[in-house]
Amino acid sequence: MAVAKPLKQTPIHQCHVELGGRLVEFAGWEMPVSYSGVIEEHRAVRSAAGLFDVSHMGEIRVRGEGAEAFVDRLTPNRVEGLANGRAQYSALLNEDGAYIDDLLVYRFAENDFLLVVNAGNTEVDLEWVASHAGGRVVVEDVSEETALLALQGPVSEKILGRVTSLDLEGLTYYRFVSGVVCGVEMTVSRTGYTGEDGFELYLPSTLAASVWEQLLDAGDDSGLVPVGLGARDTLRLEAGLALYGHEIDATVTPLEAGLAWVVKLDGSDFIGKSALLRQRQDGVPRKLVGLELEGRRIARQGAEVLSGEVVVGSVTSGTWSPTLEKPIGLALVDAACRGLAESAGVGVRGRREPARLTDLPFYKRQRVQEA
């Protein structure tokens, strides 16, 4: 009988315990799903700010002569021309053009990159990246030494400004800088996974607990609260953001998932490009759509999507939206189906629940000006 591996813990695990966080298993980690409650935490991020521990994410450093060409071969969003100090959302694709993982690519210098990958895929991603490296390209797993905190919400800049002298106003969307926050040297990027303005902080694991506590103190009078994985999921779903294992996986391509913008088919060659060119020529068989249910029942992953009485797809994610105060979901449906907008339905516990298609995202903030 196989012995289960002990759950991993982030460097600030004890902080979650002391705050009364409800801890659950997630991707092999023991993580807080909530502290005060998912809806309360969700609304705090939309109205003020929330602090997330996302140190379970994986970080892979790629550097050395030829690193730019290597990352361009590995990912479809073209890093050639990406300026130093810029980040981009991208993907690792297999030869079929489907997802191994989605990721962020940070460019520190001409041949120095950081790949930030999903916690549950870190080992697979690392093996994939390393197996394709050659020449003088060095691939290093820096996950264990790197903690990652996310400060998200409309007053996040104000709060962060209290503990750093960095020019946060000049730090535009998907840019990053290195500097001192809470007395600690770290990398600060204007990125996030909530649909709100905010920052992600990459710092030494050994100093993460101190920074976490200092940030909570700095935002105490501005409505800052610690936020768990539950609200992280409802926030990203309102923002129409894909989650690996739900909207994207090893059977789904970026063209199907509404993420064609991360694929530069007119650029240099990359793994999976030939398959995506064929799919574009033949026609994308599925498409990702947003659903709003008319009742109060939530459609969970795997629920059937109906056009009339015909099954045309399945729900990939579903939740109760604290912002819209109604059930919402994402679904992959047949691209060729007709009449779905007028006669959509979702099977929920043996009953058909009326639903309507809606544009994505469900919720959209006024974005920070991009450079």
Side-chain angles (χ1 to χ4, degrees):
M1 182 176 179
V3 178
K5 291 183 178 180
L7 296 179
K8 300 176 184 178
Q9 296 176 348
T10 75
I12 59 174
H13 173 80
Q14 189 58 34
C15 297
H16 304 316
V17 173
E18 293 172 359
L19 287 168
R22 186 163 68 88
L23 301 173
V24 299
E25 186 278 333
F26 179 79
W29 292 76
E30 189 175 17
M31 298 292 294
V33 68
S34 65
Y35 302 87
S36 56
V38 171
I39 292 178
E40 181 178 336
E41 293 165 24
H42 178 113
R43 289 174 174 164
V45 175
R46 290 279 182 251
S47 62
L51 184 61
F52 303 75
D53 175 19
V54 282
S55 301
H56 60 316
M57 300 289 281
E59 290 86 19
I60 302 169
R61 202 71 183 251
V62 179
R63 47 192 158 188
E65 184 179 338
E68 180 190 88
F70 171 62
V71 176
D72 249 344
R73 167 70 177 158
L74 208 62
T75 62
N77 202 8
R78 194 188 304 155
V79 298
E80 181 185 4
L82 184 68
N84 297 343
R86 293 296 299 262
Q88 67 174 204
Y89 178 65
S90 194
L92 295 176
L93 304 178
N94 59 31
E95 295 290 352
D96 295 327
Y99 278 89
I100 295 170
D101 205 357
D102 62 338
L103 76 163
L104 290 179
V105 178
Y106 288 79
R107 182 170 195 154
F108 285 81
E110 180 181 359
N111 283 304
D112 187 357
F113 297 86
L114 181 70
L115 312 182
V116 182
V117 300
N118 284 298
N121 293 340
T122 300
E123 291 183 10
V124 170
D125 293 349
L126 179 64
E127 182 179 351
W128 177 262
V129 173
S131 70
H132 288 83
R136 299 186 179 181
V137 174
V138 176
V139 176
E140 182 184 6
D141 182 7
V142 295
S143 305
E144 188 171 345
E145 65 198 59
T146 306
L148 177 55
L149 307 180
L151 178 62
Q152 301 282 296
V155 299
S156 56
E157 182 182 309
K158 176 182 177 182
I159 294 169
L160 192 59
R162 295 170 178 166
V163 291
T164 185
S165 60
L166 288 170
D167 176 17
L168 299 177
E169 185 176 352
L171 185 63
T172 50
Y173 196 50
Y174 267 71
R175 285 190 178 274
F176 66 94
V177 293
S178 295
V180 176
V181 178
C182 297
V184 175
E185 183 74 26
M186 65 180 69
T187 296
V188 179
S189 67
R190 199 158 204 150
T191 50
Y193 192 54
T194 63
E196 291 296 337
D197 184 22
F199 305 87
E200 293 182 306
L201 315 178
Y202 296 84
L203 66 155
S205 295
T206 54
L207 302 175
S210 173
V211 172
W212 169 270
E213 292 172 349
Q214 289 182 68
L215 287 170
L216 286 177
D217 287 343
D220 184 58
D221 63 353
S222 297
L224 177 64
V225 301
V227 184
L229 294 178
R232 182 171 167 84
D233 190 54
T234 57
L235 289 159
R236 72 91 190 169
L237 186 46
E238 285 186 350
L241 301 175
L243 176 62
Y244 189 87
H246 290 256
E247 287 68 49
I248 54 177
D249 59 28
T251 69
V252 180
T253 74
L255 306 188
E256 295 171 310
L259 294 169
W261 60 272
V262 308
V263 177
K264 303 301 187 288
L265 289 173
D266 58 346
S268 57
D269 195 22
F270 59 83
I271 297 171
K273 181 177 180 178
S274 297
L276 293 178
L277 284 170
R278 289 194 300 271
Q279 187 175 76
R280 184 176 69 174
Q281 179 178 345
D282 296 341
V284 177
R286 299 180 292 179
K287 60 183 178 182
L288 189 71
V289 299
L291 295 171
E292 291 184 0
L293 277 69
E294 296 180 10
R296 298 185 64 84
R297 292 188 171 207
I298 297 171
R300 300 299 186 183
Q301 184 180 24
E304 293 179 340
V305 178
L306 308 166
S307 178
E309 300 302 320
V310 179
V311 177
V312 294
S314 63
V315 172
T316 56
S317 295
T319 192
W320 174 265
S321 165
T323 303
L324 303 179
E325 296 188 334
K326 64 176 66 175
I328 60 173
L330 298 173
L332 278 169
V333 301
D334 298 340
C337 68
R338 297 289 184 265
L340 184 59
E342 294 77 24
S343 59
V346 178
V348 180
R349 295 193 292 274
R351 289 179 50 182
R352 178 194 175 99
E353 295 292 331
R356 69 179 185 88
L357 268 64
T358 183
D359 292 335
L360 294 174
F362 300 97
Y363 166 86
K364 188 174 183 179
R365 66 174 173 88
Q366 185 174 352
R367 301 189 74 86
V368 176
Q369 182 179 359
E370 294 189 45

